[in-house]
Amino acid sequence: MPDLVFQIIGGTQSYDWGKIGDDSKVAQYAKAGIPDFKFDESKPYAELWMGTHPNLPSRLTNGEKLSDHLKANTHLLGESILSTFPDSIEGNLPFLFKVLAIGKALSIQAHPNKQLAAKLHFERPDLYKDANHKPEMAIAITPFVAMCGFRPLSQIAVYLNQIPEFAALVPSSLRDNFIANSSLPATDPEIKSLLRDVFSAVMMAPEDDVKIQLRKLVGRYLSGGFIEDERSIFDLVVELDRQFPNDIGVFCVFLLNIIQLEPGQAMFLGAGEPHAYISGDIVETMATSDNVLRAGLTPKLRDVPNLVSSLTYKAADPSVHLIRPLPPSFSNPQRTKLYNPPIQEFSVCSTTVTPEKEELHTEIYGPSLMVVTSGAGQIMWIDAGQKNLALKEGSVIFIASQTPVTFEGDMTFYRAFFEG
């Protein structure tokens, strides 16, 4: 019989926005947890993937793909996931678990809902490689900065009224109409339509106009000229323009919320929510998909029409995106925090184990993956006798459904799981 708990080997992705060499948590974990990892101190290490996604599938230590092993041993997944996600019979997990190390901004992007994902996959399978949606949750390992969701309408109206370089990208009649109606409830169809038109006008502004206005804006900031309402964002504008000169995505600072998370804080982004990660190291969990609609701050292909048409245009304070941890039903709430986003595919917990006392996780009715982000220890379980597995920073572990496990040592880890 296969083990109920076993080590798996993830894979790394190197993108230009990743942190360089040992500055990257991804590189640190890969050096410790991937046996044949070839480290290059000059290379950006952006993502560590853990799961069954075909673009970078995890493997067991003997080289077998995790999905093949789970397909041959579906009891490790549990009945709940098999009845909820038909694709799991093929050994596929409904979530993808990652660590991201962000050295410079990711693209202005959003992820399609299931209906749009299926359409895009049918029309452009070379670009949109699966038909699934991609809701995602980020938990900060280090201080983390991102843009997420549209700002409250009143804030956007102030910027349109007081920032001439930004206002110049929006036709005057549309600008005046938006400002006049910005006191409407954010759910009102009229203001939602106006917000869509403003966003579309900015994102589709002529390249020459963008360059002219951005040079004016950055020049004004560098000379010390800014109003009070710009104080909190001018450094970010200058930095984004340095990273992506003359890119329309820089103007999204006036449209999207800026959120700063401290370690242990989390945020969730559903389908159709515009966002861009700016800096920091995070644990990220998402539905198993790699579909991205991009529109700025990127050298990759931009799909502005589909992005504009897919967004929800919810305007709100950034706090609506926060996921506040709950006490778990399966562990000590003083040591384990549960992050439970409003979707079916996954939840995540973080656990800190100290030498003074072991930590028990009782049964979870679904499979899980865990990654150790600091420290070392061991995991213990019962399977025809007591078994254990040594853990260290960068260890990635699969835990079968309905398997109580005990941890001891001095470490912190994150555990992503499905529980029906």
Side-chain angles (χ1 to χ4, degrees):
M1 289 291 289
D3 283 334
L4 298 176
V5 178
F6 52 87
Q7 182 180 355
I8 63 171
I9 309 299
T12 63
Q13 300 278 28
S14 177
Y15 303 127
D16 183 56
W17 52 261
K19 291 186 176 182
I20 305 297
D22 270 329
D23 287 341
S24 169
K25 290 289 186 186
V26 169
Q28 294 172 28
Y29 300 158
K31 286 169 70 174
I34 300 178
D36 57 352
F37 181 68
K38 295 179 174 59
F39 175 68
D40 181 345
E41 63 182 12
S42 65
K43 186 176 179 178
Y45 293 96
E47 297 185 348
L48 172 66
W49 286 34
M50 301 163 283
T52 56
H53 195 287
N55 284 8
L56 192 60
S58 295
R59 298 179 180 273
L60 278 65
T61 54
N62 64 4
E64 182 184 14
K65 286 203 301 187
L66 175 61
S67 56
D68 290 342
H69 186 73
L70 296 178
K71 181 179 180 179
N73 300 279
T74 55
H75 66 282
L76 298 175
L77 295 169
E79 288 301 322
S80 180
I81 194 172
L82 293 170
S83 61
T84 305
F85 296 99
D87 193 41
S88 63
I89 195 70
E90 299 297 320
N92 295 312
L93 298 174
F95 60 86
L96 177 59
F97 199 29
K98 294 183 181 181
V99 174
L100 271 61
I102 303 150
K104 69 177 188 179
L106 280 71
S107 55
I108 302 294
Q109 61 182 261
H111 306 299
N113 60 27
K114 285 188 176 181
Q115 182 179 4
L116 179 59
K119 176 177 180 290
L120 293 173
H121 178 60
F122 177 78
E123 294 174 348
R124 292 289 307 275
D126 58 321
L127 183 60
Y128 301 103
K129 298 182 184 299
D130 60 74
N132 201 15
H133 67 163
K134 193 184 175 185
E136 61 188 42
M137 181 170 65
I139 308 174
I141 302 175
T142 64
F144 170 64
V145 181
M147 288 190 274
C148 65
F150 285 102
R151 290 178 177 272
L153 301 171
S154 59
Q155 291 183 17
I156 298 174
V158 166
Y159 286 138
L160 282 173
N161 192 42
Q162 298 189 16
I163 313 299
E165 301 88 352
F166 174 50
L169 302 180
V170 181
S172 58
S173 59
L174 173 58
R175 183 173 69 242
D176 293 343
N177 200 7
F178 182 90
I179 293 170
N181 288 280
S182 60
S183 60
L184 288 173
T187 54
D188 188 289
E190 181 178 358
I191 194 63
K192 276 180 163 295
S193 177
L194 287 170
L195 178 57
R196 171 177 170 156
D197 291 345
V198 167
F199 183 71
S200 178
V202 173
M203 300 312 294
M204 296 183 181
E207 188 174 330
D208 287 345
D209 291 353
V210 172
K211 183 176 180 179
I212 290 169
Q213 297 305 326
L214 195 50
R215 299 279 47 86
K216 288 181 180 179
L217 180 67
V218 173
R220 179 162 63 85
Y221 285 173
L222 291 176
S223 66
F226 55 87
I227 62 173
E228 188 61 31
D229 287 311
E230 295 174 286
R231 183 179 295 276
S232 64
I233 52 87
F234 74 84
D235 283 340
L236 179 57
V237 167
V238 172
E239 175 60 19
L240 292 178
D241 181 64
R242 184 191 66 80
Q243 294 178 8
F244 299 93
N246 302 316
D247 192 298
I248 185 59
V250 178
F251 280 105
C252 285
V253 168
F254 301 113
L255 290 162
L256 305 183
N257 290 302
I258 311 300
I259 191 167
Q260 300 183 36
L261 302 185
E262 294 302 316
Q265 292 185 305
M267 72 177 193
F268 174 76
L269 293 157
E273 293 291 342
H275 60 280
Y277 296 165
I278 295 171
S279 64
D281 302 274
I282 60 171
V283 169
E284 184 184 46
T285 318
M286 63 200 65
T288 302
S289 173
D290 202 27
N291 285 324
V292 181
L293 295 161
R294 298 181 180 89
L297 302 181
T298 180
K300 295 184 178 180
L301 179 68
R302 306 179 186 211
D303 191 350
V304 177
N306 275 318
L307 177 76
V308 168
S309 66
S310 71
L311 300 182
T312 60
Y313 295 99
K314 296 176 183 176
D317 185 87
S319 62
V320 302
H321 297 284
L322 296 178
I323 296 293
R324 292 175 172 81
L326 303 169
S329 60
F330 55 84
S331 187
N332 183 338
Q334 294 182 335
R335 296 167 178 260
T336 296
K337 299 176 181 179
L338 173 65
Y339 303 87
N340 198 22
I343 55 167
Q344 236 185 344
E345 284 87 347
F346 63 83
S347 298
V348 178
C349 69
S350 68
T351 297
T352 298
V353 183
T354 57
E356 293 78 25
K357 188 175 181 181
E358 62 186 23
E359 176 68 4
L360 170 66
H361 284 192
T362 58
E363 293 181 351
I364 292 177
Y365 286 80
S368 58
L369 302 177
M370 60 166 282
V371 59
V372 179
T373 55
S374 65
Q378 67 172 337
I379 180 173
M380 300 168 287
W381 70 100
I382 302 295
D383 182 16
Q386 177 77 46
K387 293 191 175 183
N388 65 80
L389 192 62
L391 302 174
K392 60 182 179 180
E393 180 178 286
S395 293
V396 183
I397 304 296
F398 175 90
I399 304 172
S401 175
Q402 294 182 261
T403 304
V405 286
T406 301
F407 303 91
E408 64 178 22
D410 187 3
M411 62 183 174
T412 296
F413 64 84
Y414 291 83
R415 182 179 180 182
F417 59 92
F418 166 84
E419 184 167 34

